[in-house]
Amino acid sequence: SAVISQKPSRDICQRGTSLTIQCQVDSQVTMMFWYRQQPGQSLTLIATANQGSEATYESGFVIDKFPISRPNLTFSTLTVSNMSPEDSSIYLCSVAMNYGYTFGSGTRLTVV
Amino acid sequence: KQEVTQIPAALSVPEGENLVLNCSFTDSAIYNLQWFRQDPGKGLTSLLLIQSSQREQTSGRLNASLDKSSGRSTLYIAASQPGDSATYLCAVRQGSGNTPLVFGKGTRLSVIA
């Protein structure tokens, strides 16, 4: 099964700053998905990242706020820009494999 | 638009009890359904995957069933243990390609020793 290494596992950031989250997969995958989980809520899809093209964002999420890079088939980053306390959430990356979806261990972000 | 609902939102049971978690979805045209476990502040661990053509899957003390036509799935946990305490998430996949999962809000389970 695929293994995803996600970093950092947690961070406390000042409002107005940016944080970049990294996901490294141990096999090549076409698509990577980025999710947000706000406190007490389920997972909401932010965007889908395909290597070599711009990410596709879901309604309510914009590239200026959540820029995504996908430089190759095993790596992606999500940046949370100009953070506010409302951005405090767990952020997770995911890939689809034949046997189902695999998730990174998550990044727990607190904005103060 | 697919919507996934999980009932109950929270459940507390004594150790050793058998329990059932419920998941329903509005669009029965799913490719598969996956159950996950999430410990507080952590990522997701896949428990069971049921393809749309299957009726159930088993792994150890866990059994998941799928009734695609009625839009329902259940996760049965036998002989619950305190280590089973976590949030259980149900998610459906609509297509065979790289389509994202649609999640329910989860059931928060507490198993009391």
Side-chain angles (χ1 to χ4, degrees):
Chain A
S1 61
V3 175
I4 304 177
S5 299
Q6 184 172 345
K7 296 190 292 187
S9 58
R10 58 173 57 210
D11 208 341
I12 300 174
C13 300
Q14 297 290 323
R15 68 177 67 201
T17 63
S18 298
L19 175 72
T20 296
I21 301 166
Q22 301 179 3
C23 278
Q24 177 76 52
V25 189
D26 66 352
S27 57
Q28 294 185 337
V29 293
T30 306
M31 293 284 195
M32 292 183 73
F33 304 96
W34 286 96
Y35 289 86
R36 180 177 74 180
Q37 186 179 31
Q38 294 178 301
Q41 302 297 312
S42 191
L43 279 74
T44 301
L45 182 68
I46 297 172
T48 302
N50 194 3
Q51 192 267 336
S53 62
E54 267 197 11
T56 301
Y57 289 83
E58 297 298 300
S59 176
F61 297 96
V62 295
I63 188 171
D64 289 347
K65 176 68 175 176
F66 298 101
I68 289 172
S69 78
R70 186 80 204 277
N72 56 54
L73 291 174
T74 64
F75 186 79
S76 180
T77 67
L78 169 76
T79 298
V80 185
S81 303
N82 188 24
M83 289 184 284
S84 66
E86 291 71 32
D87 294 319
S88 297
S89 298
I90 298 173
Y91 294 84
L92 300 109
C93 59
S94 174
V95 299
M97 309 300 290
N98 290 337
Y99 50 83
Y101 284 73
T102 297
F103 284 79
S105 54
T107 296
R108 188 169 194 172
L109 171 62
T110 302
V111 184
V112 297
Chain B
K1 179 185 174 186
Q2 178 74 270
E3 293 183 2
V4 180
T5 303
Q6 291 187 246
I7 296 173
L11 181 63
S12 182
V13 300
E15 181 177 6
E17 196 161 293
N18 301 326
L19 59 101
V20 174
L21 308 181
N22 296 292
C23 172
S24 62
F25 43 96
T26 54
D27 183 352
S28 62
I30 64 170
Y31 183 70
N32 59 37
L33 182 146
Q34 200 165 354
W35 283 93
F36 294 90
R37 169 187 171 136
Q38 186 178 31
D39 293 293
K42 303 295 185 181
L44 275 64
T45 301
S46 180
L47 298 174
L48 288 165
L49 171 72
I50 310 179
Q51 300 294 348
S52 61
S53 58
Q54 298 176 322
R55 296 301 297 264
E56 65 178 317
Q57 283 287 329
T58 299
S59 175
R61 295 183 293 110
L62 304 180
N63 176 277
S65 68
L66 174 64
D67 184 343
K68 185 180 163 185
S69 61
S70 67
R72 295 179 186 275
S73 177
T74 62
L75 179 67
Y76 175 83
I77 302 177
S80 59
Q81 303 170 357
D84 295 330
S85 298
T87 296
Y88 291 81
L89 293 162
C90 167
V92 299
R93 181 176 180 178
Q94 293 294 120
S96 59
N98 284 295
T99 53
L101 294 174
V102 178
F103 282 85
K105 291 187 175 181
T107 294
R108 189 170 67 252
L109 173 65
S110 297
V111 181
I112 311 301

